Amino acid sequence: MTTVLTPASPLTAADRCDRCGAQAYLRVVLISGGELLFCAHHGRKFEPELKKIAAEIQDETGRLTDTPASAGSDER
């Protein structure tokens, strides 16, 4: 997915997917000025359509595979 990094605030656990209610990892700012939030699954599913209507895409799906700094060496 094409990512445009913006100074927008990071997504939090309170940000929910507009499609299913799961935690959002993508913020799509629409050309029309609106905003949509998607979980990783729905972000991938709707990617071709979103690219057509998006002014910006904030993609934080990389957080799903990052190992937390607090993880023990046996958890890495």
Side-chain angles (χ1 to χ4, degrees):
M1 179 171 284
T2 303
T3 305
V4 177
L5 298 176
T6 64
S9 59
L11 295 167
T12 68
D15 294 308
R16 310 312 287 180
C17 176
D18 289 326
R19 181 72 178 158
C20 69
Q23 184 173 347
Y25 288 93
L26 283 103
R27 174 181 284 128
V28 180
V29 178
L30 304 174
I31 295 168
S32 64
E35 176 180 281
L36 296 171
L37 299 175
F38 290 100
C39 63
H41 165 76
H42 285 112
R44 284 189 301 272
K45 181 176 180 179
F46 299 123
E47 178 180 4
E49 293 81 15
L50 292 173
K51 285 183 174 181
K52 295 175 188 175
I53 61 170
E56 299 177 26
I57 298 176
Q58 179 182 349
D59 184 355
E60 296 184 12
T61 57
R63 293 178 25 211
L64 292 168
T65 57
D66 291 344
T67 303
S70 61
S73 59
D74 60 328
E75 297 177 308
R76 293 178 186 251

